[in-house]
Amino acid sequence: MELDSRRAQATRSALIRAHGSLALRASKEQLLARLEGDIVGNILLLYSCSCRDLQNTLALLQSITDFSSAFQAAGDSACFNPSLKGKLLEILTDLLKKYCLGTPVSPVPLKVVLALEQLSKLKPS
C-alpha cells in the first residue's frame, strides 16, 4: 500500500511539472486559451490532492514559474485572472512562512521568491 501511495505522489508531481512545461511549449493562441482554466486549474487541483511534501511543493513552484514566464512571453495584450493570481499568491505566502520558520535548510524559500517574482509581473485582467 505504501508503494502505491508513493507512486501516486510521484505521478502527481510529474503531472504538475508537465503542466508548467506544457505552458512553456504551447503556442501563444493555445496558451491564452487554456492557461487559466486547464493548465493552472489542473496544477492547483493536483497540488490540493497531493501530500504537499517537498517533491510536490518544488513541482508546484517550478510550474508557477514556468507558466508565469510563458504568459509574460505571450505579449502585452495578455491579462491574468486577478482572483486566480490571488489564490496563487496565498499559496506562495503560506509556503514561504512554512519553510522559513520550520525547516532548517530547504530550497523552497528561494524557489518561492523566484515564483513570486514571475507571478508579480502578470497583469490582472
Side-chain angles (χ1 to χ4, degrees), residues 40-89:
V40 178
N42 285 334
I43 289 170
L44 290 174
L45 176 66
L46 288 162
Y47 184 70
S48 69
C49 295
S50 73
C51 67
R52 299 181 188 180
D53 62 357
L54 183 61
Q55 180 181 6
N56 284 313
T57 299
L58 290 173
L60 172 73
L61 295 172
Q62 186 62 52
S63 288
I64 292 172
T65 302
D66 288 349
F67 76 68
S68 296
S69 296
F71 196 73
Q72 289 172 52
D76 294 333
S77 62
C79 294
F80 196 74
N81 181 330
S83 63
L84 195 53
K85 185 174 180 178
K87 175 68 176 163
L88 292 165
L89 289 172

Side-chain angles (χ1 to χ4, degrees), residues 83-97:
S83 63
L84 195 53
K85 185 174 180 178
K87 175 68 176 163
L88 292 165
L89 289 172
E90 181 183 326
I91 291 169
L92 293 174
T93 304
D94 290 345
L95 287 172
L96 197 56
K97 289 175 188 174

Side-chain angles (χ1 to χ4, degrees), residues 25-46:
R25 288 162 180 73
S27 69
K28 179 180 178 178
E29 294 77 23
Q30 290 172 324
L31 179 69
L32 295 176
R34 302 215 177 252
L35 181 70
E36 292 176 359
D38 294 334
I39 296 173
V40 178
N42 285 334
I43 289 170
L44 290 174
L45 176 66
L46 288 162

